[in-house]
Amino acid sequence: MNLRELSRQLNLSQTTVSRALNGYPEVSEQTRKRVTEAARRYNYSPNARARTLATGRTMSIGHIIPMSKQNELVNMVFTDFIAGAGLVYAQQGYDMTLRIVADDGKLAAYRSFAERGAVDGVIVQSPTRDDPRIDYLAALDIPFLVHGRASEITKPYPWLDVNSKRAIETATRHLIELGHRRIGLVNGHEVMDFASRRREGYCAALTAAGLVVDEALTRSGDMSEPNGYEAARDLLAQQDAPTAFVASSIVMALGVKRAVEDRGLRIGRDVSVVCFDDDISFLPNAGETPLFTAMRSSVRAAGQRCATLLIERIKAPQAPPPTELWEAELIRGTSSGPGPFA
Amino acid sequence: MNLRELSRQLNLSQTTVSRALNGYPEVSEQTRKRVTEAARRYNYSPNARARTLATGRTMSIGHIIPMSKQNELVNMVFTDFIAGAGLVYAQQGYDMTLRIVADDGKLAAYRSFAERGAVDGVIVQSPTRDDPRIDYLAALDIPFLVHGRASEITKPYPWLDVNSKRAIETATRHLIELGHRRIGLVNGHEVMDFASRRREGYCAALTAAGLVVDEALTRSGDMSEPNGYEAARDLLAQQDAPTAFVASSIVMALGVKRAVEDRGLRIGRDVSVVCFDDDISFLPNAGETPLFTAMRSSVRAAGQRCATLLIERIKAPQAPPPTELWEAELIRGTSSGPGPFA
DNA sequence: TTGAAAGCGATACCAG
DNA sequence: CTGGTATCGCTTTCAA
C-alpha cells in the first residue's frame, strides 16, 4: 500500500493524506482521523526511499570504523561509543549507517558518504593532529562532528574531546607526589592527537615540578598490550630505570604490568603505574574494575553527547561549530583484580 | 553536479550517461570514455537517494541491537559479529544500517526496517525458541537470515547456527570421562534457543552414560557473571553438591569460578568447569586465553558467513532458504590466565 | 481546508 | 549504439 492507493481509498488527494499523516496543522481533525485510521487499517507505512529523495534527508548518520588488517579486530573503543550514539539516534528518529573499512580506505569512505548524500552527517573518530578528514568534510559541506581534536587544524570545526593533557598531567603529578623522580611514559603514536596531548601533560607535570624530561624514558607506539610490554621492558632494562609509569591506555598499562612482574617487581610496592584511557578496547587480563566500568560508561557518554551535538548541527548548520572539552576525573585504582592501579 | 547537468555538458542523454557509468555493454567505448572523463572532471557522483528510489534497492542491510535498560551495556557478542558482517558488506558494496533499541522495541524495529523498505535485508540475532521475528519477516517478504535457530518454528527459513547441543554434549561427556557423576549445568534462559539446545546436549550426555538428570543440579538465568556466581553458589551449598560444572558461556563460567573459589575449593583440583560460548561479551576477569581468541574469531566468522548468505539470498530470493550448521570445536582451556578451563 | 502538479535524481523500458 | 519518456513514492509549492 502506498500513498496513492491510500489516498484513492479515501477519496482524498495525496497531499492531504500526506499532510494528515505528518501532523501538519492545516488538516481538519476529522479528516486527520479518517486518514490515520485508514492508514492503520491498510497497514500503510510511507516508503523510506521515496521520502528520502523527496526531503533530501536520509535520517541517518554515518560512522566509519577502521579495521586494520593486522589486528583483524575492530578496536572496541568504537563499541561503547556507538552504543551511546545509537541510543540518541534511535531516540531522535535517526539510524546509524556503519561502514567497516581498511585503514587506508577511511577517507574514501567519508567521501562516498558525503558526495552521494548517503547520510545526513558523519562522526569522525580518533583524529590525527592534522587529520585530512576535517578539511575534507568541511569542503564537502556536510555536517560532521569530531570526537577528539586535531591540534594542527586552525579553522574552527565542531568537536568534543576529553582533556587528555590535564588528565595525564594530574596522573603524572600524582606519581611525583608519591616521590617518583624517574617516570616512564608509555604512549600511543603521537600522530594521534590525543597521544600528543598526553605527552604534553606528562611534560607539563614534570616541568612544573622542576624535573627534566628525559626522552629516554618515553616511548610511543601501537596501543597494544604487547607494545606496552616491550616499551616497559626496555625502559626497565635501562640503567637508572623508571620507578613509575604513566601509561596512555589500559591496554598498554597491562603490558607495563606484565613487564614489571616479569622482572620480579611488584606493582604498588616497587613500581607505580597510572593510566588514562578512554580507549576501552578489549583488555587482555583486565578485570571489571571500577576503572574499567568508568571508562566504558565514559565512552558511551561521549557517544551520546557527540550524537546529540551532531543532530543539533544538522538541524542548525549555520550555528557556530560547537566545541566541548570534558574534564576527566582521575580514577585511582582500588581494584582488587588484576587491573592497572597506582 | 547531477546526471542531467552532466549529460547536458556532454550533449548526451541521461540514459546514455547512466549506462556508460554503470558499465552497460551497449555503450560505445569512445562514448564511455568521454563520459567517465567528464564525470571525473566535474566530480560527479550519483545521488544515492535517487538511485535507491529508482532501483528499489537501498544497498544496505539492517542490524538491530538490543540494549537492555538494566545492564546498560550492549552485549558485545554483537561487536565481533558486526565486524565480520561489515567486512563482507563493504566488500560487496553494502552498508550496514544499525539501530540500537530497547529489548521490547525489537519487533517494531524490524518491522520499521521492512515495511518502509529502509534496508534490503536484515539479520536476526539470538532467536528464542519460538521467535516471532521469523514469521513476521517471512510474511513481510524481506530477505533475512537468522544467526541461530528457533526450534519451534517448522516452516523453513534461512539460518546459520553453531551446534550448541553437540558442543555441550561433548563437554559434558568429557566431565563424565573424568569421573564426575554429579555435574551442574549453569545455563542461560531456556527460552533462548541456543540455551535449550545446550541443555539438550547436557542431558543427552548424561543419559548416554546411564546417569539420571537431576533437575536440582541445573540452573538457568541471565548470562551474567553474577548470575553464574549465584547459581554455582547455590548448587555448591546443596548437600551432595556437584563436583563439576558445565557453564553455558564464558561469563557464567567466571561466576562459577568465583563461587568455587569462595568456598575455598580450587578449580582443576576439587571442581572441574567447562564452558561453551560464542558469546564473547565483556568478560570480567577473563584473560586473552586461546579460548577467548577462538571465540572472538569464531563469532566474526559467523558474521561474515551470515552476511554472505544474506546477500546471496537478496540476489536470489527464490532459492530455497540456506541452512548451515557449524560444528564447534571443543577448546580445552590451556590458559595460564584466569580464564575458565577444564 | 483541500487539490493539482512540479519536483527529487536516478533507472529502465521501448523505439529508432 | 543512442534517446525519449515513464517510473519509483513521497514532499512541497502554488492555486483555489
Side-chain angles (χ1 to χ4, degrees), chain A:
Chain A
M1 170 68 65
N2 62 24
L3 187 60
R4 192 167 60 188
E5 298 175 50
L6 181 61
S7 62
R8 285 194 181 146
Q9 294 291 338
L10 286 161
N11 269 325
L12 284 170
S13 72
Q14 296 190 27
T15 315
T16 304
V17 176
S18 171
R19 281 199 277 240
L21 258 22
N22 290 309
Y24 282 61
E26 65 263 39
V27 180
S28 82
E29 269 320 308
Q30 191 197 340
T31 337
R32 192 190 305 280
K33 218 168 103 190
R34 263 186 72 213
V35 171
T36 49
E37 266 167 21
R40 183 143 14 81
R41 193 165 58 251
Y42 293 110
N43 202 15
Y44 166 76
S45 90
N47 183 297
R49 298 187 296 264
R51 188 200 290 250
T52 267
L53 178 57
T55 59
R57 283 166 295 129
T58 62
M59 296 309 283
S60 88
I61 309 287
H63 284 237
I64 301 223
I65 301 201
M67 174 144 168
S68 19
K69 287 272 156 50
Q70 40 177 352
N71 40 0
E72 276 256 330
L73 285 179
V74 164
N75 183 335
M76 298 292 158
V77 135
F78 295 108
T79 306
D80 285 290
F81 186 89
I82 275 180
L87 281 178
V88 174
Y89 296 151
Q91 204 180 324
Q92 306 271 338
Y94 284 83
D95 277 320
M96 173 164 12
T97 298
L98 208 64
R99 192 177 298 177
I100 313 262
V101 299
D103 274 330
D104 57 7
K106 266 198 298 196
L107 212 59
Y110 279 99
R111 177 168 168 239
S112 133
F113 271 169
E115 290 191 337
R116 305 173 340 171
V119 296
D120 295 343
V122 296
I123 295 276
V124 173
Q125 300 194 68
S126 298
T128 59
R129 291 168 51 76
D130 177 22
D131 202 295
R133 289 173 292 181
I134 296 177
D135 279 344
Y136 205 57
L137 291 169
L140 287 172
D141 202 30
I142 180 180
F144 67 98
L145 195 126
V146 182
H147 180 211
R149 276 171 290 174
S151 30
E152 288 176 18
I153 292 184
T154 50
K155 262 195 309 193
Y157 60 92
W159 54 263
L160 180 151
D161 199 4
V162 61
N163 197 339
S164 284
K165 180 182 170 187
R166 171 112 60 154
I168 290 291
E169 189 175 352
T170 309
T172 308
R173 190 170 55 238
H174 176 63
L175 292 174
I176 296 172
E177 283 164 5
L178 287 177
H180 295 283
R181 288 300 168 264
R182 295 187 61 72
I183 300 173
L185 173 67
V186 179
N187 201 7
H189 286 293
E190 287 165 16
V191 286
M192 301 305 285
D193 194 78
F194 69 85
S196 74
R197 286 181 196 277
R198 287 176 193 183
R199 167 181 283 269
E200 283 173 27
Y202 165 83
C203 294
L206 291 180
T207 306
L211 299 170
V212 283
V213 176
D214 181 355
E215 295 281 339
L217 293 184
T218 69
R219 290 285 184 284
S220 57
D222 277 356
M223 304 266 276
S224 66
E225 199 270 357
N227 190 56
Y229 173 80
E230 280 175 38
R233 191 196 51 197
D234 291 357
L235 293 174
L236 286 168
Q238 295 179 177
Q239 61 183 64
D240 227 359
T243 61
F245 289 91
V246 177
S248 189
S249 77
I250 299 188
V251 190
M252 297 190 101
L254 292 166
V256 171
K257 173 171 176 286
R258 186 156 60 92
V260 166
E261 288 168 353
D262 267 14
R263 275 188 93 80
L265 303 171
R266 227 180 71 199
I267 294 206
R269 189 190 60 191
D270 310 310
V271 174
S272 295
V273 180
V274 296
C275 74
F276 171 70
D277 198 350
D278 58 0
D279 170 350
I280 49 69
S281 308
F282 164 64
L283 304 184
N285 294 314
E288 170 79 67
T289 65
L291 176 64
F292 189 89
T293 308
M295 293 300 168
R296 294 199 66 171
S297 75
S298 146
V299 172
R300 194 172 62 248
Q304 290 186 247
R305 186 65 188 144
C306 285
T308 305
L309 288 173
L310 179 54
I311 289 175
E312 280 172 11
R313 193 149 180 76
I314 288 171
K315 292 184 175 163
Q318 312 303 356
T323 58
E324 231 173 84
L325 186 59
W326 287 13
E327 290 301 333
E329 286 175 66
L330 183 65
I331 301 159
R332 302 273 162 76
T334 51
S335 159
S336 59
F341 45 114

Side-chain angles (χ1 to χ4, degrees), chain B:
Chain B
M1 170 71 63
N2 62 23
L3 187 61
R4 191 167 63 188
E5 297 175 50
L6 181 62
S7 63
R8 284 192 182 148
Q9 294 291 338
L10 285 161
N11 270 323
L12 284 170
S13 71
Q14 296 190 18
T15 314
T16 303
V17 175
S18 171
R19 279 199 279 239
L21 258 22
N22 290 307
Y24 282 62
E26 64 264 38
V27 179
S28 82
E29 269 320 308
Q30 192 198 337
T31 326
R32 193 191 303 281
K33 219 169 100 190
R34 263 186 71 215
V35 171
T36 49
E37 266 168 22
R40 183 144 15 82
R41 192 165 60 252
Y42 294 110
N43 201 15
Y44 167 76
S45 90
N47 182 296
R49 298 187 296 265
R51 188 199 291 247
T52 267
L53 179 57
T55 59
R57 284 167 294 127
T58 62
M59 295 309 283
S60 88
I61 310 285
H63 283 237
I64 301 219
I65 301 200
M67 175 145 168
S68 18
K69 287 270 156 51
Q70 39 176 354
N71 40 0
E72 275 259 330
L73 285 179
V74 164
N75 182 335
M76 299 289 158
V77 130
F78 295 107
T79 307
D80 285 290
F81 186 90
I82 275 179
L87 281 179
V88 173
Y89 296 150
Q91 206 180 323
Q92 307 271 336
Y94 284 83
D95 277 321
M96 174 165 11
T97 298
L98 208 63
R99 192 176 299 176
I100 313 261
V101 299
D103 274 329
D104 58 7
K106 267 199 299 196
L107 211 59
Y110 279 98
R111 177 168 168 238
S112 133
F113 272 169
E115 290 190 339
R116 307 176 339 178
V119 297
D120 294 344
V122 296
I123 296 276
V124 173
Q125 299 195 69
S126 298
T128 59
R129 292 166 52 77
D130 177 22
D131 202 296
R133 290 172 293 181
I134 296 177
D135 279 343
Y136 205 56
L137 291 169
L140 287 172
D141 203 31
I142 180 180
F144 67 98
L145 194 125
V146 182
H147 181 211
R149 277 171 289 174
S151 30
E152 287 175 19
I153 291 184
T154 51
K155 261 196 306 192
Y157 61 91
W159 54 263
L160 181 151
D161 199 4
V162 61
N163 197 339
S164 283
K165 180 182 170 187
R166 173 113 59 154
I168 290 290
E169 189 175 351
T170 308
T172 308
R173 192 171 51 238
H174 176 63
L175 292 174
I176 296 172
E177 283 163 5
L178 288 176
H180 295 283
R181 289 299 169 264
R182 295 187 63 71
I183 299 173
L185 172 67
V186 178
N187 202 7
H189 286 294
E190 286 163 18
V191 286
M192 301 305 284
D193 194 78
F194 69 85
S196 75
R197 287 181 196 278
R198 288 176 191 182
R199 167 181 282 267
E200 283 174 26
Y202 166 83
C203 293
L206 291 180
T207 306
L211 299 170
V212 284
V213 177
D214 181 355
E215 295 283 340
L217 293 184
T218 69
R219 289 287 184 284
S220 57
D222 278 355
M223 304 267 275
S224 65
E225 200 269 357
N227 189 57
Y229 173 80
E230 280 174 38
R233 190 197 52 197
D234 291 357
L235 293 174
L236 286 168
Q238 296 180 176
Q239 61 181 63
D240 228 359
T243 61
F245 289 91
V246 177
S248 190
S249 78
I250 300 188
V251 191
M252 296 190 101
L254 292 165
V256 171
K257 173 172 176 285
R258 186 156 60 91
V260 166
E261 288 168 351
D262 266 14
R263 275 190 94 79
L265 303 171
R266 225 181 70 201
I267 293 206
R269 189 190 61 190
D270 310 311
V271 174
S272 295
V273 180
V274 296
C275 76
F276 171 71
D277 197 351
D278 57 0
D279 171 349
I280 48 70
S281 307
F282 164 64
L283 305 184
N285 293 315
E288 170 80 67
T289 64
L291 175 64
F292 190 89
T293 308
M295 293 302 169
R296 293 198 66 172
S297 74
S298 145
V299 172
R300 195 171 63 247
Q304 290 186 248
R305 187 65 187 145
C306 284
T308 305
L309 289 173
L310 179 54
I311 289 175
E312 281 172 12
R313 192 150 180 76
I314 288 171
K315 291 184 176 165
Q318 312 303 354
T323 58
E324 231 173 85
L325 186 58
W326 286 14
E327 289 301 333
E329 286 175 66
L330 183 65
I331 302 160
R332 303 272 162 76
T334 52
S335 160
S336 59
F341 45 115

